Amino acid sequence: GLQPLLKTHVFVSVSFSSHLTSIFQMFLVALSFAYFAKALSGSYMKSTITQLERRFDIPSYLIGVIDGSFEIGNLLVIAFVSYFGAKLHRPKIIAVGCVLMSIGTFIIALPHFIIGRYEFETSVRWVVNSTLNPAPCPVGCEGESNLSMWIYVLLGNVLRGIGETPVQPLGISYIDDFASEENAALYVGCVQTISVVGPVFGYLLGSLCAKIYVDIGFVKMETISITPADARWVGAWWLGYLIAGVITLLSAIPFWFLPRSLPISGPQSPEKCTPEQTSFIKDSPLLKHKYPADEHSSFIEMAKDFIPTLRTLLGHPVYLIYLCVTIIQLNSLIGMVTYKPKYIEQHFRQSASKANFLMGVINIPAVALGMFSGGLLMKRLKLNIMGAARFAFGTSLIGYILSLFFFAMSCENAKVAGVTLNYNSLEGISYDKHSVFTTCNSGCYCSATEWDPVCGENGITYVSPCLAGCTSSVGSGKNTVFSNCSCIGVDGNFTASTGQCPNKDDCDRMFPYFLALSVITSFIISLGGTPGYMLLIRCIKPQLKSLALGFHALATRTLAGIPAPIYFGAIIDTTCLKWGQKRCGGMGACRIYNTTAYRIAYLGLTLSLRTISFVICIPGFILLSRQLKKEERNAIHGTLANGGTELEALRKQELLMCNCDQSQQISDNSTDRETRL
């Protein structure tokens, strides 16, 4: 009679178990997709830096402010999300975060649909033939709405930062709580690996959109006289944000249908759990009875405990030095990565599309492979704390030494009359203050602020057809040819075509070496990423781990993620040779840089910060060595103390056994006597 009931019970148990497994797998897939979506939109933002500069006519430091606004949004809510998010419905909180991220991404794209068509400086008109002066007719100042439109991009990025906050802490904690102990690390690793794929697709999307003209579908492409290689070209930056927004919105859908909690797989008692697991698991209705003590702890009591704990953490010398080193190194890394596509564009005269493509296809995979290999090597070599510290320092130092070779990979600046060349001496490049006006163009009444470059037959670029002394033009759009140019050639009857002269043979020769070295250094530096992170976890007491990781994230975001793009951008701005002009006056985006000064400023700042971090590492190693020796001594004393206690216990046990034997012997003797009687 019991057999059918037992079979039914087993069947129900198996069905319930498989149902829970499928729900958990659904959560894993959903979280992986959310990680992919947020990584894609974040890397796409980095890939559109030059497009946004040109579209909104803003300098690099303002782009740095926009880029850092993501971290500001993150910091605004990270404390609330970390504390209250764990006590609420975690999948739904993640869903709300994904929706906010998608709304923020759509807001970033909004200005494109408000400010109208993109108008760049040009002398070329869409006419079949013209023998008139090609200088443009003065365009009335119609109140530049794009002057403040970058504010929408800033606000959208802040909202993206707010939305991204719950995805990682709540997603990882959900896995840690409801996966078996042996599978949790594997699942977290899978999710993190998927997130590496996001930046690859983000930069590739940036490459694709940079090829497409900003107003595609609204203008006739035959009328556009510039190419993607031109400093005035703006790609369809908004299109990528719409795509990223849709992907992020889709990633939110599965989380709405997932349960608040699942029965924990395997016997996971609170005693076996880590502090992080315990803090999350205790809020599950299934385990409420196991944590009665914490229910009545007030906010004031927690705050009283928080300050002494934080003081203890910051009083830990090794942790404090590690924090300083990582903040300085992350300043170097974030500044370098943010402006690397721009550096490739300006220094090696590559298009934004090609720069983004190379970042996505070459650099990001090298970093991902380096991080994975670092973790694998750490496991194979069985590195302890000191071993991990030496490994991380060694890889960083090798990468630093190799990075010094970037200084030698120079590329000659573009030859532009009146900017890098003197009109009277068009031979050697110099960066002295040159005048764009000379006798050959004095009667043309040209504008000194306009940037509409033309390439003369002599291989020299001129700031505009007017400043080249040209008086007539034939053709239209990209095929326009300017003639009777008095500043070109001896007789002054040479022609000029639209756009800058290519003149990048030396750049093309040097560029493959730059790429190869870039991949090697990225891989080597990334090797130390995992051991370095493990050093952070292992150098402190287990009960301080959560606070240490949280404070590390807070400090690096505040002191590296926000300021680095701003001051890197401000320093890059100082190397500009020719600024664009807004229609209503005022400085626009930079059109041409002093590439030598740019290289020294960009690479010099990156490597100077890393030099400082290496100097700080020296006392760090000394303190870590002392800490390990102290721990070793304490462990030996503890073992000896335990050994003495164990010896005393053994003696007592032996004495007890002897007494027992004697008692047993007496008992046996009395029994024998009783038997005889």
Side-chain angles (χ1 to χ4, degrees):
L2 287 172
Q3 199 171 1
L5 286 171
L6 285 169
K7 283 182 179 177
T8 307
H9 176 71
V10 169
F11 175 74
V12 169
S13 299
V14 170
S15 300
F16 182 66
S17 177
S18 61
H19 176 64
L20 289 176
T21 306
S22 63
I23 290 172
F24 189 75
Q25 285 172 349
M26 183 184 173
F27 178 83
L28 273 178
V29 172
L31 188 66
S32 299
F33 190 48
Y35 261 69
F36 171 81
K38 76 182 181 74
L40 182 141
S41 55
S43 55
Y44 183 75
M45 165 59 81
K46 300 274 186 198
S47 76
T48 57
I49 278 177
T50 50
Q51 313 292 313
L52 295 173
E53 267 185 43
R54 295 168 187 174
R55 184 65 186 95
F56 300 110
D57 270 323
I58 53 176
S60 294
Y61 84 89
L62 267 182
I63 283 292
V65 173
I66 291 169
D67 190 64
S69 65
F70 177 85
E71 305 291 355
I72 294 169
N74 218 289
L75 290 171
L76 286 173
V77 294
I78 194 163
F80 298 102
V81 167
S82 298
Y83 184 75
F84 294 108
K87 298 178 180 298
L88 301 169
H89 196 303
R90 278 178 276 175
K92 285 188 178 176
I93 298 289
I94 294 170
V96 170
C98 291
V99 169
L100 286 175
M101 271 199 292
S102 68
I103 292 169
T105 312
F106 290 137
I107 289 171
I108 293 172
L110 186 63
H112 173 75
F113 303 97
I114 300 174
I115 58 177
R117 307 284 75 81
Y118 172 55
E119 292 179 16
F120 53 87
E121 305 152 285
T122 182
S123 305
V124 178
R125 291 283 174 265
W126 176 239
V127 289
V128 177
N129 272 310
S130 171
T131 53
L132 302 173
N133 191 314
C137 301
V139 178
C141 183
E142 301 166 354
E144 287 189 16
S145 56
N146 67 330
L147 202 68
S148 56
M149 280 292 144
W150 62 268
I151 297 291
Y152 284 96
V153 181
L154 180 97
L155 293 174
N157 211 30
V158 170
L159 195 58
R160 271 188 61 242
I162 292 170
E164 189 263 356
T165 311
V167 178
Q168 184 170 359
L170 302 188
I172 298 300
S173 70
Y174 196 90
I175 291 172
D176 203 33
D177 289 354
F178 304 121
S180 60
E181 216 169 297
E182 61 272 13
N183 289 335
L186 175 66
Y187 293 148
V188 171
C190 290
V191 171
Q192 298 281 14
T193 305
I194 295 291
S195 70
V196 174
V197 181
V200 175
F201 281 89
Y203 277 107
L204 290 177
L205 181 62
S207 173
L208 178 67
C209 293
K211 282 182 184 176
I212 304 166
Y213 186 65
V214 61
D215 293 320
I216 186 77
F218 297 97
V219 295
K220 290 181 179 178
M221 288 309 294
E222 300 84 28
T223 65
I224 305 302
S225 59
I226 55 175
T227 64
D230 197 290
R232 294 163 293 171
W233 176 272
V234 176
W237 60 275
W238 53 274
L239 182 61
Y241 286 111
L242 292 181
I243 293 167
V246 170
I247 290 170
T248 312
L249 191 61
L250 290 172
S251 73
I253 295 169
F255 291 106
W256 295 107
F257 304 101
L258 289 163
R260 178 173 177 166
S261 61
L262 296 167
I264 300 162
S265 31
Q268 218 175 7
S269 64
E271 290 79 8
K272 287 179 70 179
C273 295
T274 61
E276 291 87 347
Q277 288 173 313
T278 306
S279 65
F280 287 115
I281 294 170
K282 67 182 179 186
D283 298 305
S284 171
L286 296 166
L287 297 174
K288 230 153 191 138
H289 64 282
K290 292 188 181 179
Y291 299 91
D294 283 6
E295 293 298 320
H296 305 292
S297 58
S298 66
F299 179 77
I300 296 164
E301 286 171 3
M302 285 189 288
K304 281 180 182 175
D305 188 46
F306 175 74
I307 302 299
T309 309
L310 184 62
R311 197 183 294 119
T312 305
L313 180 67
L314 295 179
H316 194 296
V318 176
Y319 177 76
L320 203 60
I321 285 175
Y322 180 89
L323 194 65
C324 292
V325 169
T326 50
I327 286 169
I328 293 166
Q329 289 223 343
L330 278 170
N331 268 276
S332 169
L333 180 69
I334 290 166
M336 184 194 72
V337 171
T338 302
Y339 293 102
K340 193 165 188 177
K342 185 183 174 78
Y343 180 76
I344 292 170
E345 288 174 51
Q346 295 297 331
H347 197 270
F348 294 101
R349 298 178 213 164
Q350 304 295 326
S351 67
S353 174
K354 188 172 180 180
N356 289 328
F357 178 80
L358 292 169
M359 280 291 286
V361 170
I362 296 175
N363 261 71
I364 303 296
V367 170
L369 184 63
M371 289 178 74
F372 176 76
S373 302
L376 202 65
L377 280 171
M378 192 175 179
K379 187 181 176 182
R380 286 278 171 89
L381 299 172
K382 296 177 182 176
L383 298 175
N384 57 11
I385 304 176
M386 184 57 82
R390 285 172 180 159
F391 186 86
F393 181 82
T395 54
S396 189
L397 187 63
I398 294 166
Y400 172 85
I401 293 164
L402 289 173
S403 297
L404 293 171
F405 289 98
F406 284 126
F407 283 106
M409 295 178 178
S410 59
C411 189
E412 195 178 40
N413 226 123
K415 295 178 180 178
V416 183
V419 180
T420 60
L421 296 173
N422 192 316
Y423 267 91
N424 301 321
S425 172
L426 297 174
E427 294 302 319
I429 287 176
S430 73
Y431 299 109
D432 300 328
K433 190 77 177 173
H434 301 299
S435 173
V436 291
F437 298 113
T438 187
T439 51
C440 62
N441 59 28
S442 57
C444 300
Y445 307 103
C446 308
S447 167
T449 57
E450 187 180 64
W451 177 259
D452 182 23
V454 291
C455 179
E457 270 189 81
N458 56 355
I460 306 295
T461 300
Y462 295 83
V463 173
S464 70
C466 185
L467 289 168
C470 305
T471 56
S472 61
S473 65
V474 177
S476 58
K478 293 174 192 171
N479 301 317
T480 304
V481 176
F482 300 93
S483 53
N484 299 327
C485 303
S486 56
C487 295
I488 301 173
V490 181
D491 300 327
N493 58 359
F494 286 92
T495 59
S497 55
T498 57
Q500 281 183 249
C501 297
N503 291 341
K504 57 172 191 170
D505 291 344
D506 58 330
C507 295
D508 287 342
R509 281 195 300 271
M510 192 60 70
F511 190 50
Y513 297 107
F514 170 83
L515 284 179
L517 187 60
S518 179
V519 169
I520 293 164
T521 51
S522 297
F523 174 77
I524 290 171
I525 292 168
S526 301
L527 277 173
T530 305
Y533 196 73
M534 292 311 295
L535 172 64
L536 167 63
I537 294 166
R538 290 180 186 176
C539 76
I540 45 168
K541 293 175 182 176
Q543 57 267 36
L544 293 173
K545 195 200 308 182
S546 291
L547 183 62
L549 291 169
F551 191 81
H552 180 263
L554 181 74
T556 51
R557 283 172 186 267
T558 309
L559 302 175
I562 296 169
I566 299 171
Y567 68 76
F568 262 80
I571 288 168
I572 288 168
D573 283 338
T574 63
T575 67
C576 184
L577 292 172
K578 177 71 179 172
W579 290 95
Q581 187 78 6
K582 294 177 182 177
R583 279 182 298 156
C584 296
M587 190 174 69
C590 186
R591 300 304 188 195
I592 184 170
Y593 289 88
N594 176 344
T595 52
T596 304
Y598 191 140
R599 184 175 74 255
I600 292 167
Y602 173 74
L603 296 175
L605 184 56
T606 302
L607 295 175
S608 298
L609 287 166
R610 282 164 66 185
T611 305
I612 296 165
S613 74
F614 289 141
V615 172
I616 298 171
C617 278
I618 296 166
F621 274 111
I622 295 165
L623 289 167
L624 180 62
S625 179
R626 284 178 184 173
Q627 180 187 316
L628 292 173
K629 282 176 183 175
K630 187 180 175 183
E631 285 175 4
E632 196 177 334
R633 279 198 302 270
N634 290 342
I636 290 165
H637 289 316
T639 306
L640 288 171
N642 288 338
T645 310
E646 284 171 15
L647 189 62
E648 189 66 32
L650 282 168
R651 281 174 182 167
K652 282 181 181 178
Q653 194 176 354
E654 193 179 344
L655 188 64
L656 189 64
M657 284 173 73
C658 286
N659 290 337
C660 286
D661 287 342
Q662 285 173 5
S663 301
Q664 184 68 34
Q665 198 173 353
I666 291 163
S667 175
D668 289 345
N669 290 338
S670 62
T671 308
D672 287 341
R673 278 198 298 271
E674 283 174 15
T675 308
R676 284 194 207 100
L677 284 168

